[in-house]
């Protein structure tokens, strides 16, 4: 796997997600920390996720003090969709 990077920059996160046709989402009925568990929904919407606005997404992101771990390219040069939310260190 190629190197993964971490960022908290909202513009970088939004551009990365939108470039991969992703949508901001959270897990339905999950209220960890009050805002829910953030996810990125790619392609066909998943039943367990609810779409949220970018404003709501980044409000939760900041309140939970998260960072966005992501990979730009796979080892074979394809666009990667690998991402996850981690606690800021």
């Amino acid at each position: 796997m190629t190197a993964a990077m971490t960022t908290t920059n909202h513009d970088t996160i939004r551009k990365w997600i939108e470039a991969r046709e992703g949508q901001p989402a959270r897990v339905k009925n999950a209220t960890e920390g009050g805002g829910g568990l953030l996810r990125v929904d790619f392609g066909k919407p998943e039943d367990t996720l609810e779409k949220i606005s970018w404003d709501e997404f980044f409000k939760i992101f900041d309140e939970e003090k998260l960072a966005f771990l992501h990979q730009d390219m796979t080892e074979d040069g394809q666009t990667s969709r690998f991402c996850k939310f981690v606690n800021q260190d």
Side-chain angles (χ1 to χ4, degrees):
M1 183 160 111
T2 60
M5 300 161 283
T6 304
T7 186
T8 58
N9 181 282
H10 292 190
D11 289 335
T12 300
I13 296 166
R14 185 173 180 163
K15 287 177 185 175
W16 188 95
I17 292 171
E18 288 181 341
R20 289 154 179 81
E21 300 180 1
Q23 299 288 322
R26 68 176 160 202
V27 176
K28 288 181 182 177
N29 302 319
T31 58
E32 181 177 303
L37 299 172
L38 290 182
R39 296 290 186 265
V40 176
D41 199 2
F42 294 106
K44 184 180 175 188
E46 294 182 32
D47 291 338
T48 59
L49 299 179
E50 65 179 324
K51 183 179 175 182
I52 59 175
S53 70
W54 282 111
D55 287 340
E56 179 70 9
F57 180 87
F58 287 120
K59 179 179 181 271
I60 296 167
F61 182 85
D62 291 339
E63 286 175 353
E64 297 297 320
K65 296 181 174 79
L66 298 174
F68 185 68
L69 179 68
H70 63 288
Q71 176 189 35
D72 285 335
M73 305 296 283
T74 62
E75 284 185 21
D76 63 357
Q78 300 295 314
T79 300
S80 176
R81 285 188 173 174
F82 171 78
C83 66
K84 65 190 257 185
F85 298 97
V86 297
N87 291 324
Q88 291 181 23
D89 292 327

